[in-house]
Amino acid sequence: MSKETLKESPLRKDIYQSNPLINARKCMDIIELRIFSLGLQGLNPHRSLKDKFYDKEFPLTFIPTIKLVEIFGNTWYLHDLEKICDKLFNAKITLNDDDGSFEMFHIFQRLKYKPKEGLYIKFDDLMKPYILELFQTKGYTKINIEQIFPLMSTYSVRLVELLLQFQGTKKKILSRKIDIDNLRFVLNVPDNAYIDRMDNFKKNVIEKPIAEINKKTKYKMDYCPIKTGKKVTDFVFYMDISKSLI
């Protein structure tokens, strides 16, 4: 393996995803989402026609072992990294359309780990329109990695992503209305979970993640259930990002 291959990849503080990817179903747990985010940190996507320097092809992101320990803060993850990457390599992303159509994507072309070197990450080429060629898609979302990485719940991370999609240059309070079926889809809530008890759904899928967001990030989130008749059909989420702009 060449010395050039072993060069540490620059990990950028902001990551980018196309809005269709933000609204997709990501079948990943929190550790898998973190590795997914690490891969995104190594990319320089094409976001504007004015960009002069950007990745035309997916680079091989390389993160040294010592950096992985620093990032995860625990060597336990390294002992289980093969199992984690095996599950992650088989994870998928599903995009749904309003007309009932869907499309599924394999995420990675390559995941490799050598204890004396580090972790290698390369995305599948079919993911280009969603994380590399962003100027061609229906908008994209900028996410500060320092805000989402301390979160230990996938629901927390995904709620932040869903709200950040609606950030603008002057917006300090973001809001988004999501119907319950779409919320279950984008948060990857198991199909048989919290079917009969709305109070359990709100507590575990919404309220606990919001409490974690409010405690561990600079964002402040709240929500309001919307009823159609006697049944909760939608939720409106609010997130104050003003402290993150300072």
Side-chain angles (χ1 to χ4, degrees):
M1 193 168 294
S2 68
K3 293 292 183 181
E4 176 132 10
T5 305
L6 293 174
K7 183 179 179 181
E8 181 178 351
S9 301
L11 297 182
R12 297 164 176 83
K13 68 175 183 178
D14 294 319
I15 59 176
Y16 299 87
Q17 299 178 47
S18 72
N19 289 338
L21 184 55
I22 291 291
N23 296 318
R25 185 169 201 162
K26 299 172 182 173
C27 297
M28 294 180 271
D29 63 24
I30 189 62
I31 300 302
E32 294 159 13
L33 273 177
R34 285 182 171 181
I35 294 175
F36 174 74
S37 296
L38 284 176
L40 295 181
Q41 280 188 272
L43 303 181
N44 181 25
H46 190 182
R47 293 175 283 139
S48 167
L49 290 174
K50 297 180 181 179
D51 290 343
K52 293 183 179 180
F53 304 102
Y54 54 88
D55 293 328
K56 296 180 176 65
E57 302 293 336
F58 281 122
L60 181 63
T61 298
F62 171 65
I63 307 165
T65 301
I66 191 170
K67 186 70 173 180
L68 288 174
V69 174
E70 177 187 331
I71 290 171
F72 285 102
N74 195 321
T75 57
W76 173 86
Y77 297 111
L78 300 183
H79 297 306
D80 268 9
L81 198 55
E82 184 174 354
K83 292 180 181 178
I84 294 169
C85 286
D86 179 66
K87 186 168 177 283
L88 180 57
F89 194 76
N90 291 290
K92 67 179 183 294
I93 288 173
T94 304
L95 284 77
N96 274 5
D97 231 329
D98 293 336
D99 63 1
S101 60
F102 64 88
E103 192 168 8
M104 297 182 182
F105 288 90
H106 181 72
I107 306 168
F108 298 99
Q109 181 186 105
R110 183 185 180 196
L111 291 170
K112 176 182 177 181
Y113 176 66
K114 294 180 74 67
K116 293 183 180 180
E117 296 176 10
L119 179 66
Y120 299 82
I121 302 171
K122 189 170 185 181
F123 287 97
D124 191 287
D125 283 343
L126 288 177
M127 293 298 293
K128 282 183 181 180
Y130 302 100
I131 54 181
L132 204 60
E133 300 167 348
L134 297 180
F135 76 101
Q136 295 179 340
T137 62
K138 299 177 181 178
Y140 62 84
T141 297
K142 175 182 175 182
I143 302 163
N144 185 294
I145 197 73
E146 292 179 355
Q147 298 305 314
I148 64 169
F149 214 80
L151 300 172
M152 294 300 294
S153 163
T154 56
Y155 297 152
S156 301
V157 173
R158 295 294 284 125
L159 283 173
V160 169
E161 291 181 350
L162 290 167
L163 269 293
L164 287 178
Q165 182 183 338
F166 285 76
Q167 63 190 315
T169 54
K170 296 182 179 180
K171 285 186 178 181
K172 294 184 178 180
I173 306 292
L174 312 179
S175 65
R176 179 167 186 173
K177 182 180 179 181
I178 310 177
D179 68 75
I180 190 168
D181 290 336
N182 191 36
L183 185 64
R184 292 180 67 93
F185 173 79
V186 296
L187 295 186
N188 194 32
V189 179
D191 293 337
N192 60 349
Y194 313 117
I195 297 296
D196 300 322
R197 296 291 301 272
M198 177 54 66
D199 54 342
N200 286 340
F201 179 85
K202 289 191 293 185
K203 177 182 178 181
N204 293 293
V205 179
I206 299 177
E207 293 171 359
K208 285 185 177 179
I210 285 179
E212 184 184 33
I213 292 166
N214 293 342
K215 180 180 180 179
K216 296 182 179 179
T217 76
K218 292 183 178 181
Y219 307 131
K220 296 300 176 185
M221 187 179 289
D222 203 352
Y223 83 105
C224 178
I226 305 296
K227 288 186 176 182
T228 302
K230 295 183 179 180
K231 185 178 180 180
V232 174
T233 55
D234 304 85
F235 296 94
V236 179
F237 294 90
Y238 306 92
M239 189 165 76
D240 185 340
I241 64 171
S242 57
K243 289 186 178 179
S244 69
L245 302 174
I246 299 174

